Amino acid sequence: MVKTSSRWSSSDDAIRAVQVAFDVEMQVIEAVRYAAWENQLSPSDQIRKILNLPCLGKPVRPRLTVSLSEADYALLAQRFGITLTDKRAVKEALHQALIAFAELHPAPAKLGAGLSHTTTEE
């Protein structure tokens, strides 16, 4: 039998959790996403709220994510006039492009508490 460290015992519940996917009509997906948006929750937390399950309530760092391939980086580096090897500069240019988009297309006042000017390296 393998002895586990007490350091990892707090993650036991998370390890046992199972992700459940729902195949539903687009109308249901849109309703849940819209409610999550209105309540400033993740879609997962909104589903937990609908099902009267406890939400973890842990602070979530607000951020947007996108997956970029090497071809995407090459295209964006060329578009922004940045060398392909400087991925950090490409990410910063994308960050600025998103900020510019938000300034031209502001969200309703309920959502926006201000625009952040920090980039997270992943």
Side-chain angles (χ1 to χ4, degrees), residues 23-63:
D23 291 323
V24 294
E25 298 293 324
M26 200 61 185
Q27 179 182 1
V28 175
I29 293 170
E30 289 172 356
V32 170
R33 286 181 178 163
Y34 184 74
W37 174 78
E38 279 191 319
N39 296 315
Q40 296 186 0
L41 295 172
S42 68
S44 177
D45 281 344
Q46 182 63 46
I47 292 168
R48 294 184 68 80
K49 182 178 176 182
I50 292 166
L51 299 174
N52 292 319
L53 292 171
C55 291
L56 300 176
K58 55 185 172 181
V60 177
R61 186 174 60 196
R63 62 182 181 173

Side-chain angles (χ1 to χ4, degrees), residues 1 3 19 21 26 32 34 36 54-56 64-65 79 91 94 103 108 110 116 121:
M1 182 168 184
K3 183 179 178 184
Q19 185 172 18
M26 200 61 185
V32 170
Y34 184 74
C55 291
L56 300 176
L64 296 170
T65 61
R79 183 176 300 154
K91 288 179 186 178
L94 297 176
E103 289 170 348
K110 181 178 180 181
S116 172
E121 187 70 25

Side-chain angles (χ1 to χ4, degrees), residues 15 20 27 34 37 67 81 83 92 99:
I15 292 170
V20 178
Q27 179 182 1
Y34 184 74
W37 174 78
S67 298
T83 62
E92 182 58 32
I99 291 170

Side-chain angles (χ1 to χ4, degrees), residues 60-68 70 73 87-92 94 118-122:
V60 177
R61 186 174 60 196
R63 62 182 181 173
L64 296 170
T65 61
V66 64
S67 298
L68 299 174
E70 287 300 317
Y73 271 108
K87 287 187 177 176
R88 178 170 280 212
V90 172
K91 288 179 186 178
E92 182 58 32
L94 297 176
T118 59
T119 301
T120 302
E121 187 70 25
E122 292 196 26

